[in-house]
């Protein structure tokens, strides 16, 4: 077993995802601490991606028919082939939609443990310690992954993108693509429907969560957003319930926003929501639960009923405007 | 089509959660559990599939506190069978559990195994993909829509969500495991009266899981140990405001109003 760290690159529509650079930053630090190299697994990528992966010491590519688009089965088989060729100490995968398909699959087939949803990985003597978020962000758990091989999947936003960005010409090598098993077939990508408000372009967002309680009550947030010259955005459950269109979803599977003001009303602050809004300039959270994780990311907090705050704030702004 | 849905109960995230005296685990006194919300979505999607394409839906759960109520509720919603695995209470970690599920599922006819996309109470791997790898069937996570192909084709077409609302359409040969993020519609509600009625008439099938004797239980731990569990310091970085007046002052200072 070498002391290398293998970072699994992720790409969509021909471009590397930001998570790849976050993982590279974390991977480089970890590899240095372990006395190994930081190696990237690039499956179905292109030459441009290799240049962008200059922060890595080596890039191991797998190319072949049907690999340029992601499907869990053939990418899983390809990753296992890279793993066997590199024989790394640690594999870093994004805890993303693609990464969730790969991490436990690899760990199980390689017979090594997988620590999911990590926010930090450090070397501790011979061992590696991983901190993960549990219970919707209410508790953190640090585990000792031991001194052997392991897979860790990392939440987006846990590392700095810049730390993994460098142009260069890393050493590349190829691993032959395993024969396709054809069990999963990529058909097409479906883009979200446009036409609604673009929440990524708004300076002020009034973000509502399940605390709003019912569809009819969204009106009060709409009114406040209008006074603030902003738009209403929301957490996933509201979109899944059909209370808000998909175009308003902030988070892991929604949009990434960074407005001047993000006013979160009745949003608990689950890691998947935080991923989409933590870079907002000013975050204000209103929640009746003082333990709500959103307060760990907010700049200002109010432990109050969102309806009281909404009403009073709307009135105060109207009064100010005269 | 034989559909199997795996369901579990998890701590209710809206409640106060505290670390116990050991500093390594959740305090379980006064702990309120609820059905993992993604499992409810998995059940809903399974029921919709059964309604449109026919077949049989079985819910499988490990024996645990109040699991009967969850299973009777699933029957009230339209599940055909419910199966409770006993004797696996000491199995540790998702790797160990997956081996138990693999054994049980191998003995059950299954075309489609649905799980919730995640459960917020453990971080040692993901159960669905581990079970799939053990059964050597494909697995797709973060699924929001499932459509069954023509009879005899033995496949489903699913939507898998990426960020930014982009969705991939994938065709998957059965049998397969799918991690459901959200069903096509909000999970249905089962009236309490109906659940009570079912409770009188229906039975929960029980099956002895691998238990202590099996290798899965013995060596199936995740392979790592907890160093510590901590609550992030709530509001560490946030300035707590006393009311809307103070909030107005902040918004004025930031030039938003
Ligand atoms: C793969 C994956 C992707 C995901 N992607 C996303 C995503 O893109 N975006 C996203 O948001 N989520 C996403 N999620 C879901 C995420 O895990 C959470 O379930 C979700 O963010 C919770 O939404 P919420 O905060 O609105 O609801 P809850 O967690 O239910 O929180 C509601 C909050 O409202 C508070 N409240 C209740 N009543 C009031 C009141 N009257 N006044 C003030 N406060 C009140 C409660 O205290 C609570 O904190 C994803 C999950 C997975 C597994
Ligand atoms: N003990 C269990 N009993 C039944 N289903 C489970 C259990 N653990 C996990 N699952 C299923 O696997 C999914 C993912 O769980 P996890 O891998 O723990 O995040 C859950 O949503 C359930 O559908």
């Amino acid at each position: 077993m070498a002391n290398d760290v293998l970072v699994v690159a992720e790409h969509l529509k021909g471009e590397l995802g930001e998570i790849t650079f976050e993982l590279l930053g974390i991977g480089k630090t970890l590899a240095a601490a372990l006395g190994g190299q930081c190696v990237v697994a690039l499956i179905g990528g292109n030459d441009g991606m290799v240049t962008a992966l200059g922060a890595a010491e080596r890039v191991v590519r797998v190319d072949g028919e049907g690999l340029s688009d992601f499907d869990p089965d053939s990418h899983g088989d390809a990753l296992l082939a890279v793993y066997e060729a590199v024989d790394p100490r640690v594999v870093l995968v994004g805890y993303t939609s693609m990464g969730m398909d790969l991490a436990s699959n690899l760990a199980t087939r390689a017979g090594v443990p997988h620590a999911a949803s990590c926010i930090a990985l450090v070397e501790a003597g011979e061992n590696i310690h991983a901190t993960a978020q549990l219970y919707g962000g209410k508790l953190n758990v640090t585990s000792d992954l031991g001194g052997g091989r392991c897979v860790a999947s990392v939440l987006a936003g846990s590392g700095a993108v810049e730390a993994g960005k460098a142009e260069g010409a890393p050493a590349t090598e190829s691993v032959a693509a395993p024969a396709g098993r054809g069990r999963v077939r990529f058909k097409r990508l479906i883009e979200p429907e446009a036409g609604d408000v673009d929440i990524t372009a708004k300076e002020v967002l009034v973000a509502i969560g399940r605390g709003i309680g019912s569809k009819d009550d969204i009106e009060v947030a709409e009114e406040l957003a209008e006074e603030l010259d902003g738009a209403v955005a929301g957490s996933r459950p509201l979109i899944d319930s059909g209370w808000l269109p998909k175009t308003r979803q902030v988070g892991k599977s929604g949009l990434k926003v960074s407005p001047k003001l993000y006013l979160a009303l009745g949003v608990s602050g689950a890691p998947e929501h935080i991923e989409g809004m933590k870079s907002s300039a000013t975050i204000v959270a209103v929640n009746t639960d003082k333990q709500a994780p959103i307060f760990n990311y907010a700049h200002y907090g109010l432990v109050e009923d969102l309806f009281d705050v909404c009403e009073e704030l709307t009135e105060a702004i109207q009064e100010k405007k005269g | 089509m034989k559909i199997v849905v795996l369901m579990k109960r998890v701590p209710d995230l809206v409640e106060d959660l505290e670390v116990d005296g050991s500093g390594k685990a959740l305090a379980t006194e006064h702990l309120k559990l609820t059905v993992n919300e993604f499992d409810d979505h998995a059940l809903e999607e399974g029921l919709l599939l059964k309604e449109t394409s026919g077949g049989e839906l079985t819910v499988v759960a490990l024996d645990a506190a109040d699991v009967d109520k969850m299973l009777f509720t699933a029957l009230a919603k339209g599940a055909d069978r419910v199966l409770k695995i006993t004797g696996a209470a000491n199995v540790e970690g998702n790797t160990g559990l997956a081996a138990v599920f693999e054994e049980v599922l191998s003995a059950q006819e299954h075309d489609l195994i649905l799980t919730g996309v995640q459960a917020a109470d453990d971080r040692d791997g993901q159960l669905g993909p581990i079970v799939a790898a053990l059964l050597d069937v494909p697995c797709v996570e973060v699924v929001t829509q499932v459509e069954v192909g023509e009879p005899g084709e033995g496949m489903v077409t699913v939507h898998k969500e990426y960020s930014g609302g982009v969705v991939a359409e994938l065709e998957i040969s059965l049998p397969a495991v799918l991690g459901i993020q959200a069903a096509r519609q909000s999970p249905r509600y089962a009236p309490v009266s109906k659940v009570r009625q079912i409770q009188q008439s229906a039975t929960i099938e029980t099956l002895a899981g691998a238990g202590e004797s099996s290798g899965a239980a013995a060596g199936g731990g995740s392979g790592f140990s907890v160093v510590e569990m901590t609550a992030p310091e709530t509001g560490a970085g946030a300035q707590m405001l006393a009311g809307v007046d103070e909030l107005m002052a902040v918004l004025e200072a930031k030039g938003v109003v």
Side-chain angles (χ1 to χ4, degrees), chain A residues 95 97 100-101 104 113-114 116-117 133-135 138 140 142 144 181 183 185 187-188 190 210 236 246 252-254 272 290-291 295-296 299 301, chain B residues 13 15-17 37 118 120 123 125-126 136 141 160-161 163-164 167 169 171 173 222 224-225 227-230 232-235 238-239 241 257:
Chain A
Y95 193 63
S97 183
M100 289 173 98
D101 286 346
S104 275
H114 166 208
S117 190
Q133 284 187 326
L134 251 66
Y135 306 112
K138 280 197 161 174
N140 288 342
T142 300
D144 186 340
R181 291 195 276 177
R183 303 188 301 186
R185 296 160 303 270
K187 302 306 276 186
R188 61 183 177 132
I190 303 166
R210 195 141 44 180
R236 163 136 221 161
K246 188 81 188 169
K252 189 190 199 88
S253 44
E272 296 85 5
K290 61 176 190 328
Q291 216 197 4
F295 290 127
N296 302 331
H299 303 101
Chain B
L13 302 183
E15 302 291 318
D16 277 359
L17 299 178
E37 70 170 303
Q118 73 179 29
R123 282 298 170 258
Q126 310 142 256
D136 194 22
E141 290 275 353
K160 172 181 175 65
E161 267 197 16
S163 57
V167 167
E169 191 178 280
E171 223 173 67
S173 299
S222 59
F224 47 82
S225 58
V227 177
E228 60 167 2
M229 187 180 273
T230 53
E233 211 184 315
T234 302
Q239 184 182 333
L241 306 174
V257 295

Coordinates of all heavy atoms in Angstrom, one line a residue, chain A residues 95 97 100-101 104 113-114 116-117 133-135 138 140 142 144 181 183 185 187-188 190 210 236 246 252-254 272 290-291 295-296 299 301, chain B residues 13 15-17 37 118 120 123 125-126 136 141 160-161 163-164 167 169 171 173 222 224-225 227-230 232-235 238-239 241 257:
Chain A
Y95 N -19.2 13.9 -1.9 CA -20.5 13.4 -1.5 C -21.6 14.2 -2.3 O -22.4 15.0 -1.8 CB -20.7 13.6 0.1 CG -21.9 12.9 0.7 CD1 -21.9 11.5 0.6 CD2 -22.9 13.5 1.2 CE1 -22.9 10.8 1.2 CE2 -24.0 12.8 1.8 CZ -24.0 11.4 1.7 OH -25.0 10.7 2.3
S97 N -24.2 13.8 -6.0 CA -25.1 12.8 -6.7 C -24.2 11.7 -7.4 O -24.5 10.5 -7.2 CB -26.0 13.5 -7.7 OG -26.8 12.6 -8.3
M100 N -22.1 9.7 -4.6 CA -22.9 8.7 -3.8 C -23.0 7.4 -4.5 O -23.2 6.4 -3.9 CB -24.3 9.3 -3.5 CG -24.3 10.5 -2.5 SD -25.9 11.2 -2.4 CE -26.5 10.4 -0.9
D101 N -23.0 7.4 -5.9 CA -23.1 6.2 -6.6 C -21.7 5.4 -6.6 O -21.7 4.2 -6.7 CB -23.4 6.5 -8.1 CG -24.9 6.8 -8.3 OD1 -25.7 6.6 -7.3 OD2 -25.2 7.3 -9.3
S104 N -19.5 4.1 -2.0 CA -19.8 2.8 -1.3 C -19.6 1.6 -2.2 O -19.3 0.6 -1.7 CB -21.2 2.8 -0.7 OG -21.2 3.4 0.6
P113 N -13.3 0.4 4.4 CA -14.4 1.2 5.0 C -14.6 2.5 4.2 O -13.7 3.0 3.6 CB -14.0 1.4 6.4 CG -12.5 1.3 6.4 CD -12.2 0.3 5.3
H114 N -15.8 3.0 4.3 CA -16.2 4.3 3.7 C -16.8 5.2 4.7 O -17.8 4.9 5.4 CB -17.2 4.0 2.6 CG -17.9 5.3 2.1 ND1 -19.2 5.2 1.5 CD2 -17.5 6.6 2.0 CE1 -19.5 6.5 1.1 NE2 -18.5 7.3 1.4
A116 N -18.8 8.5 5.1 CA -19.5 9.4 4.2 C -19.8 10.8 4.8 O -19.7 10.9 6.0 CB -20.9 8.7 3.9
S117 N -20.1 11.7 3.9 CA -20.5 13.0 4.3 C -19.5 13.8 5.2 O -19.8 14.4 6.1 CB -21.8 12.9 5.1 OG -22.4 14.2 5.3
Q133 N -20.8 15.3 9.3 CA -22.0 16.0 9.9 C -23.2 14.9 10.0 O -23.4 14.3 9.0 CB -22.5 17.1 9.0 CG -21.6 18.3 9.2 CD -22.1 19.5 8.5 OE1 -22.7 19.4 7.4 NE2 -21.9 20.7 9.1
L134 N -23.8 14.9 11.1 CA -24.9 14.0 11.3 C -26.2 14.7 11.7 O -26.1 15.9 12.1 CB -24.6 13.0 12.5 CG -24.2 11.6 12.2 CD1 -23.0 11.5 11.4 CD2 -24.1 10.8 13.5
Y135 N -27.3 14.1 11.6 CA -28.5 14.6 12.0 C -28.8 16.0 11.5 O -29.1 17.0 12.2 CB -28.6 14.7 13.6 CG -28.3 13.3 14.2 CD1 -27.1 13.1 14.9 CD2 -29.2 12.3 14.0 CE1 -26.9 11.8 15.4 CE2 -28.9 11.0 14.5 CZ -27.8 10.8 15.2 OH -27.5 9.5 15.7
K138 N -26.9 18.9 13.0 CA -27.0 19.2 14.4 C -25.9 18.7 15.3 O -25.6 19.2 16.3 CB -28.4 18.7 15.0 CG -29.5 19.6 14.6 CD -30.8 19.4 15.5 CE -31.7 20.6 15.4 NZ -32.9 20.3 16.2
N140 N -21.8 16.8 15.1 CA -20.6 16.3 14.3 C -20.0 15.1 14.9 O -20.0 15.0 16.1 CB -19.5 17.4 14.2 CG -19.9 18.6 13.4 OD1 -20.8 18.5 12.6 ND2 -19.2 19.7 13.6
T142 N -16.5 12.6 14.9 CA -15.2 12.4 14.4 C -14.9 10.9 14.6 O -15.0 10.4 15.7 CB -14.2 13.3 15.1 OG1 -14.5 14.6 14.9 CG2 -12.8 13.0 14.6
D144 N -12.2 7.5 13.8 CA -10.8 7.1 13.5 C -10.9 6.0 12.4 O -11.5 5.0 12.6 CB -10.2 6.5 14.8 CG -8.8 6.1 14.6 OD1 -8.3 6.0 13.4 OD2 -8.1 6.0 15.6
R181 N -20.8 -3.5 -19.0 CA -21.7 -4.5 -18.7 C -23.1 -4.1 -19.2 O -24.0 -5.0 -19.1 CB -21.7 -4.8 -17.2 CG -20.4 -5.4 -16.7 CD -20.6 -6.0 -15.3 NE -20.3 -5.0 -14.3 CZ -20.4 -5.2 -13.0 NH1 -20.8 -6.4 -12.6 NH2 -20.2 -4.3 -12.1
R183 N -25.5 -2.5 -18.0 CA -26.7 -2.6 -17.1 C -27.4 -1.3 -16.9 O -28.5 -1.2 -16.6 CB -26.3 -3.2 -15.7 CG -25.6 -4.6 -15.9 CD -25.4 -5.2 -14.5 NE -24.6 -4.4 -13.6 CZ -24.1 -4.8 -12.4 NH1 -24.5 -6.0 -12.0 NH2 -23.4 -4.0 -11.7
R185 N -27.8 2.6 -18.8 CA -27.5 3.3 -20.0 C -27.9 4.7 -19.9 O -29.0 5.1 -19.5 CB -28.3 2.6 -21.2 CG -27.8 1.2 -21.4 CD -28.7 0.3 -22.1 NE -30.0 0.0 -21.6 CZ -30.3 -0.9 -20.7 NH1 -29.4 -1.7 -20.2 NH2 -31.6 -1.1 -20.3
K187 N -29.1 8.1 -21.1 CA -29.9 8.5 -22.2 C -29.7 10.0 -22.6 O -29.4 10.3 -23.7 CB -31.4 8.3 -22.0 CG -31.8 6.8 -21.6 CD -31.3 5.8 -22.7 CE -32.2 5.7 -23.8 NZ -31.7 4.6 -24.7
R188 N -29.9 10.9 -21.6 CA -29.8 12.3 -21.9 C -29.8 13.1 -20.7 O -30.1 12.6 -19.6 CB -31.0 12.8 -22.8 CG -32.3 12.6 -22.1 CD -33.5 13.0 -23.0 NE -34.7 12.7 -22.3 CZ -35.7 13.6 -22.1 NH1 -35.7 14.7 -22.7 NH2 -36.8 13.2 -21.5
I190 N -31.4 16.5 -18.9 CA -32.6 17.4 -19.0 C -32.3 18.6 -18.2 O -32.0 18.6 -17.0 CB -33.9 16.7 -18.4 CG1 -34.1 15.3 -19.2 CG2 -35.1 17.6 -18.6 CD1 -35.1 14.4 -18.5
R210 N -39.5 24.6 5.5 CA -40.7 23.9 5.9 C -41.4 24.6 7.0 O -42.6 24.4 7.3 CB -40.3 22.5 6.3 CG -41.4 21.5 6.4 CD -41.1 20.2 5.9 NE -39.8 19.7 6.3 CZ -39.3 18.5 5.9 NH1 -40.0 17.7 5.2 NH2 -38.1 18.1 6.3
R236 N -35.6 22.5 -0.3 CA -36.0 21.3 -1.1 C -37.5 20.8 -0.8 O -38.3 20.6 -1.7 CB -35.0 20.2 -1.0 CG -35.5 18.9 -1.4 CD -34.5 18.2 -2.2 NE -35.2 17.5 -3.3 CZ -34.7 17.1 -4.4 NH1 -33.5 17.2 -4.6 NH2 -35.5 16.5 -5.3
K246 N -39.1 24.6 -9.2 CA -37.8 24.0 -9.0 C -36.7 25.1 -9.2 O -35.6 25.1 -8.6 CB -37.6 23.0 -10.1 CG -36.3 22.2 -10.0 CD -36.4 21.1 -8.9 CE -35.0 20.4 -8.7 NZ -35.0 19.6 -7.5
K252 N -27.8 21.7 -2.6 CA -27.0 20.7 -3.3 C -27.6 20.3 -4.6 O -26.9 20.3 -5.6 CB -27.1 19.4 -2.4 CG -26.2 18.3 -2.8 CD -26.5 17.1 -2.0 CE -25.4 16.0 -2.0 NZ -24.4 16.3 -0.9
S253 N -28.9 20.0 -4.7 CA -29.5 19.7 -6.0 C -30.2 20.8 -6.6 O -30.9 20.7 -7.6 CB -30.4 18.5 -5.8 OG -31.2 18.6 -4.7
G254 N -30.1 22.0 -5.9 CA -30.7 23.2 -6.5 C -29.7 24.1 -7.0 O -28.7 23.7 -7.5
E272 N -27.2 20.0 3.1 CA -27.5 20.1 1.7 C -28.1 21.5 1.3 O -28.0 21.9 0.1 CB -28.5 19.0 1.2 CG -28.0 17.6 1.4 CD -28.2 17.0 2.8 OE1 -28.8 17.7 3.6 OE2 -27.7 15.9 3.1
K290 N -33.7 27.2 18.7 CA -32.4 27.9 18.9 C -31.2 27.0 18.6 O -30.1 27.4 18.3 CB -32.2 28.4 20.4 CG -32.3 27.3 21.4 CD -32.0 27.8 22.8 CE -31.8 26.8 23.9 NZ -32.5 25.5 23.8
Q291 N -31.4 25.7 18.5 CA -30.4 24.7 18.1 C -30.3 24.5 16.6 O -29.5 23.7 16.1 CB -30.7 23.3 18.8 CG -29.5 22.6 19.3 CD -29.9 21.1 19.5 OE1 -31.0 20.6 19.3 NE2 -28.9 20.4 20.0
F295 N -28.1 28.6 12.4 CA -27.5 29.7 13.2 C -26.0 29.6 13.2 O -25.3 30.5 13.5 CB -28.0 29.7 14.6 CG -29.5 30.1 14.7 CD1 -30.4 29.4 15.3 CD2 -29.9 31.4 14.2 CE1 -31.7 29.8 15.4 CE2 -31.2 31.8 14.2 CZ -32.1 31.0 14.9
N296 N -25.4 28.4 12.8 CA -24.0 28.2 12.8 C -23.4 28.9 11.5 O -22.2 29.0 11.4 CB -23.6 26.8 12.8 CG -24.1 26.1 14.1 OD1 -24.3 26.7 15.1 ND2 -24.4 24.8 13.9
H299 N -24.9 35.2 9.9 CA -24.2 36.3 10.6 C -25.1 36.9 11.7 O -24.6 37.4 12.7 CB -23.8 37.4 9.5 CG -23.0 36.8 8.4 ND1 -23.6 36.5 7.2 CD2 -21.7 36.5 8.3 CE1 -22.6 36.0 6.4 NE2 -21.5 36.0 7.1
G301 N -28.9 36.3 13.8 CA -30.0 35.3 14.1 C -31.1 35.8 15.0 O -30.9 36.7 15.8
Chain B
L13 N -35.3 15.4 13.6 CA -34.3 16.4 13.5 C -34.8 17.8 14.1 O -34.1 18.7 14.3 CB -33.8 16.6 12.1 CG -33.2 15.4 11.4 CD1 -32.6 15.7 10.1 CD2 -32.0 14.8 12.3
E15 N -36.3 18.0 16.9 CA -36.1 18.0 18.3 C -34.7 18.4 18.7 O -33.8 18.3 17.9 CB -36.4 16.6 18.8 CG -37.8 16.1 18.5 CD -38.9 16.8 19.2 OE1 -38.7 17.0 20.5 OE2 -39.9 17.1 18.6
D16 N -34.5 18.7 20.0 CA -33.2 18.9 20.6 C -32.4 17.6 20.6 O -32.9 16.6 21.0 CB -33.3 19.4 22.0 CG -33.5 20.9 22.1 OD1 -33.6 21.5 21.0 OD2 -33.7 21.4 23.2
L17 N -31.2 17.6 20.1 CA -30.4 16.4 20.1 C -29.2 16.7 20.9 O -28.5 17.7 20.7 CB -30.0 16.0 18.6 CG -31.2 15.7 17.7 CD1 -30.7 15.4 16.3 CD2 -32.0 14.6 18.2
E37 N -37.6 10.5 6.3 CA -38.5 11.1 5.3 C -38.2 10.6 3.9 O -39.1 10.5 3.1 CB -38.4 12.7 5.4 CG -37.2 13.3 4.9 CD -37.4 14.9 4.8 OE1 -38.3 15.3 4.0 OE2 -36.6 15.6 5.4
Q118 N -30.8 8.8 1.8 CA -29.9 8.8 2.9 C -30.7 8.8 4.2 O -31.9 9.2 4.2 CB -28.9 9.9 2.9 CG -29.4 11.3 3.2 CD -28.4 12.4 3.2 OE1 -27.4 12.3 2.5 NE2 -28.6 13.4 4.0
A120 N -30.2 10.3 8.2 CA -29.3 11.3 8.8 C -28.6 10.8 10.0 O -28.0 11.6 10.7 CB -30.1 12.5 9.1
R123 N -22.9 7.6 9.3 CA -22.1 8.1 8.2 C -21.1 7.0 7.8 O -20.0 7.3 7.2 CB -21.3 9.4 8.7 CG -22.2 10.6 8.6 CD -22.7 10.8 7.2 NE -23.7 11.8 7.1 CZ -25.0 11.6 6.9 NH1 -25.5 10.3 6.9 NH2 -25.9 12.5 6.8
G125 N -20.8 4.8 5.3 CA -21.2 4.3 4.0 C -22.7 4.4 3.8 O -23.4 4.8 4.7
Q126 N -23.1 4.0 2.7 CA -24.5 4.1 2.4 C -25.0 2.7 2.1 O -24.5 1.9 1.4 CB -24.7 4.9 1.1 CG -24.0 6.3 1.1 CD -23.5 6.5 -0.3 OE1 -22.3 6.4 -0.6 NE2 -24.4 6.9 -1.2
D136 N -24.4 -7.7 -6.5 CA -23.9 -7.5 -7.8 C -25.1 -7.1 -8.8 O -25.2 -7.7 -9.8 CB -23.2 -8.7 -8.4 CG -22.4 -8.4 -9.6 OD1 -22.1 -7.2 -9.8 OD2 -22.1 -9.3 -10.4
E141 N -28.3 6.4 -7.1 CA -28.8 7.2 -6.0 C -29.3 8.5 -6.5 O -29.1 8.9 -7.7 CB -27.6 7.5 -5.1 CG -27.1 6.3 -4.3 CD -27.9 6.1 -3.0 OE1 -28.7 6.9 -2.7 OE2 -27.7 5.0 -2.4
K160 N -32.1 11.0 -12.4 CA -31.1 11.2 -11.4 C -30.8 12.7 -11.3 O -30.4 13.3 -12.3 CB -29.9 10.4 -11.7 CG -28.7 10.6 -10.7 CD -27.6 9.7 -11.2 CE -26.3 10.0 -10.3 NZ -26.4 9.6 -8.9
E161 N -30.9 13.3 -10.1 CA -30.7 14.7 -10.0 C -29.2 15.1 -9.8 O -28.5 14.5 -8.9 CB -31.5 15.2 -8.8 CG -32.8 15.7 -9.2 CD -33.4 16.6 -8.2 OE1 -32.7 17.1 -7.3 OE2 -34.6 16.8 -8.2
S163 N -26.7 18.9 -9.5 CA -27.0 20.3 -9.0 C -27.5 21.2 -10.1 O -27.5 20.8 -11.3 CB -25.7 20.8 -8.4 OG -24.7 20.9 -9.4
G164 N -28.1 22.3 -9.6 CA -28.6 23.3 -10.6 C -29.9 22.8 -11.3 O -30.2 23.4 -12.3
V167 N -30.9 17.2 -14.6 CA -31.3 15.8 -14.4 C -30.8 14.9 -15.5 O -30.9 15.2 -16.6 CB -32.9 15.7 -14.3 CG1 -33.4 14.3 -14.4 CG2 -33.4 16.5 -13.1
E169 N -31.3 11.3 -17.4 CA -32.2 10.2 -17.6 C -31.4 8.9 -17.9 O -30.5 8.9 -18.8 CB -33.1 10.5 -18.8 CG -34.2 9.5 -19.0 CD -35.1 9.9 -20.2 OE1 -35.9 10.8 -20.1 OE2 -34.9 9.3 -21.3
E171 N -31.3 4.5 -18.1 CA -32.1 3.3 -18.3 C -31.4 2.2 -17.5 O -30.2 2.1 -17.6 CB -32.1 3.0 -19.8 CG -33.4 2.5 -20.4 CD -33.2 2.3 -21.8 OE1 -32.5 1.4 -22.3 OE2 -33.8 3.1 -22.6
S173 N -31.2 -1.9 -16.2 CA -31.7 -3.2 -16.2 C -32.0 -3.7 -14.8 O -31.3 -3.4 -13.9 CB -30.7 -4.1 -16.9 OG -30.4 -3.7 -18.2
S222 N -18.0 -1.2 10.7 CA -17.6 -0.3 9.6 C -16.1 -0.3 9.5 O -15.5 0.2 8.5 CB -18.1 1.1 9.9 OG -17.6 1.5 11.1
F224 N -14.2 1.4 11.6 CA -13.6 2.6 12.3 C -14.4 2.9 13.5 O -15.6 2.5 13.7 CB -13.5 3.8 11.4 CG -14.6 4.1 10.5 CD1 -15.7 4.8 11.0 CD2 -14.6 3.7 9.2 CE1 -16.8 5.2 10.2 CE2 -15.7 4.0 8.4 CZ -16.8 4.8 8.9
S225 N -13.8 3.6 14.4 CA -14.4 3.8 15.7 C -14.6 5.3 15.9 O -13.9 6.2 15.4 CB -13.5 3.3 16.8 OG -12.2 3.9 16.7
V227 N -14.3 8.8 17.7 CA -13.4 9.5 18.6 C -14.2 10.4 19.5 O -14.1 10.4 20.7 CB -12.4 10.3 17.8 CG1 -11.5 11.1 18.7 CG2 -11.5 9.4 16.9
E228 N -15.1 11.2 18.9 CA -15.9 12.1 19.6 C -17.1 12.5 18.8 O -17.1 12.5 17.6 CB -15.2 13.3 20.2 CG -14.6 14.1 19.0 CD -14.1 15.5 19.5 OE1 -14.2 15.8 20.7 OE2 -13.7 16.3 18.6
M229 N -18.2 12.8 19.5 CA -19.4 13.4 18.9 C -19.6 14.8 19.6 O -19.6 14.8 20.9 CB -20.6 12.5 19.1 CG -21.8 13.0 18.3 SD -23.2 11.9 18.5 CE -22.9 10.7 17.2
T230 N -19.8 15.8 18.8 CA -20.0 17.1 19.5 C -21.1 17.9 18.8 O -21.3 17.7 17.6 CB -18.7 18.0 19.3 OG1 -18.3 18.0 18.0 CG2 -17.6 17.4 20.2
P232 N -22.0 21.3 17.2 CA -21.3 22.5 16.9 C -21.8 23.7 17.8 O -23.0 23.7 18.2 CB -21.8 22.8 15.4 CG -22.6 21.7 15.0 CD -22.9 20.8 16.2
E233 N -20.9 24.6 18.1 CA -21.3 25.6 19.0 C -22.4 26.5 18.3 O -22.1 27.2 17.3 CB -20.1 26.5 19.3 CG -20.2 27.1 20.7 CD -19.0 28.0 20.9 OE1 -17.9 27.6 20.6 OE2 -19.2 29.1 21.4
T234 N -23.6 26.4 18.8 CA -24.7 27.0 18.0 C -24.6 28.5 18.0 O -24.4 29.2 19.0 CB -26.1 26.6 18.7 OG1 -26.2 25.2 18.6 CG2 -27.2 27.2 17.9
G235 N -24.7 29.0 16.8 CA -24.6 30.5 16.6 C -23.3 31.1 17.0 O -23.2 32.2 17.3
A238 N -22.8 33.8 14.8 CA -23.9 34.7 14.6 C -24.1 35.6 15.7 O -24.0 35.3 16.9 CB -25.2 33.9 14.3
Q239 N -24.5 36.8 15.3 CA -24.9 37.8 16.4 C -26.4 37.7 16.6 O -27.2 37.8 15.6 CB -24.5 39.2 15.9 CG -24.8 40.3 16.9 CD -24.5 41.7 16.4 OE1 -23.6 41.8 15.5 NE2 -25.1 42.7 16.9
L241 N -30.0 38.6 17.5 CA -30.7 39.9 17.6 C -32.0 39.7 18.5 O -32.6 38.7 18.6 CB -31.2 40.3 16.2 CG -30.0 40.4 15.1 CD1 -30.6 40.8 13.8 CD2 -29.0 41.5 15.6
V257 N -32.2 48.2 3.0 CA -33.4 49.0 3.0 C -33.1 50.5 3.1 O -32.1 50.9 3.5 CB -34.4 48.6 4.2 CG1 -34.8 47.2 4.0 CG2 -33.7 48.8 5.5

